[in-house]
Amino acid sequence: QSVLTQPPSVSGAPGQRVTISCTGSNSNIGAGFDVHWYQQLPGTAPKLLIYGDSNRPSGVPDRFSGSKSGTSASLAITGLQAEDEATYYCHSYDSSRSVSFGGGTKLTVL
Amino acid sequence: QITLKESGPTLVKPTQTLKLTCTFSGFSLSTYGVGVGWIRQPPGKALEWLVLIYWDDDKRYSPSLRSRLAITKDTSNNQVVLAMTDMDPVDTATYYCAHTWQYRGTPYGFDVWGQGTTVTVSS
């Protein structure tokens, strides 16, 4: 059972906007620790998509955005494209001195 | 350009100790704030953080696996070694090493990952 809770799956049609939630607690996200997001395409290593709640590494399209409020964070993808079909993971730190990943959300582009 | 690559056995027997090496380039593990972490992913399952080591030899362990893990760094050879004792079939997974950095005293995002190495635990 992951400390960070994500929906198992989301879907959307090309061009649409989807959001993926990541729910934590007062010992991780709610304590102010930053949230990071990864995209994992099938058969490949995860790729950092968002760091520090809402920052995009160089090369990540601005269709991807992150936000945080209270004990939750969200990843939004606008202008959905077929190549966005992947599994997305959130990641944060916990005051128990542990690094936590969410359970992953599989995005299907219809 | 930062790169990392994992190496080690692809098959281990139950109760054996697994030793994996992460060989990296493009950064130094003696630079302030820099760290290397290990993360694993069982087939069809989620990512699970295992351990990380910082430039100053500070080490952070997953509470649930702490008793079985050891991590060391060889700064001159740009390597980090993970040892996991008492391997079990449930430890079958792809093991990744990744570059990270420390921010406000806590581990930050893993910005560059190795390709991963698959380890199967079976007799």
Side-chain angles (χ1 to χ4, degrees), chain A residues 7 16 28 33 38 51-52 54 59 67 82 85 105:
Chain A
Q16 283 190 334
N28 41 65
F33 294 115
Y38 303 85
Y51 68 94
S54 58
S67 63
E85 190 158 290
T105 299

Side-chain angles (χ1 to χ4, degrees), chain A residues 2 32-34 36 38 40 44-48 51-52 55 89 91 93 96-104, chain B residues 39 41 45-49 52 58-63 96 101 103-104 106-111 113-115:
Chain A
S2 301
F33 294 115
D34 288 347
H36 320 285
Y38 303 85
Q40 187 175 33
T44 69
K47 168 191 169 186
L48 182 65
Y51 68 94
N55 302 289
Y89 293 92
H91 153 214
Y93 187 69
S96 65
R97 292 169 57 90
S98 179
V99 170
S100 296
F101 286 95
Chain B
I39 302 101
Q41 186 172 37
K45 295 191 176 181
L47 301 170
E48 179 184 20
W49 171 70
L52 65 85
D58 182 23
K59 299 161 188 173
R60 308 285 176 94
Y61 294 90
S62 165
Y96 297 99
W101 66 104
Y103 180 67
R104 295 189 291 189
T106 63
Y108 220 53
F110 296 101
D111 60 338
W113 295 60
Q115 64 189 27

Side-chain angles (χ1 to χ4, degrees), chain A residues 73-90:
Chain A
S74 289
L75 172 71
I77 310 171
T78 59
L80 206 56
Q81 299 179 4
E83 67 208 48
D84 299 333
E85 190 158 290
T87 300
Y88 294 83
Y89 293 92
C90 62

Side-chain angles (χ1 to χ4, degrees), chain A residues 9 20 24 59 77 97 110:
Chain A
S9 63
I20 298 172
I77 310 171
R97 292 169 57 90
L110 302 171

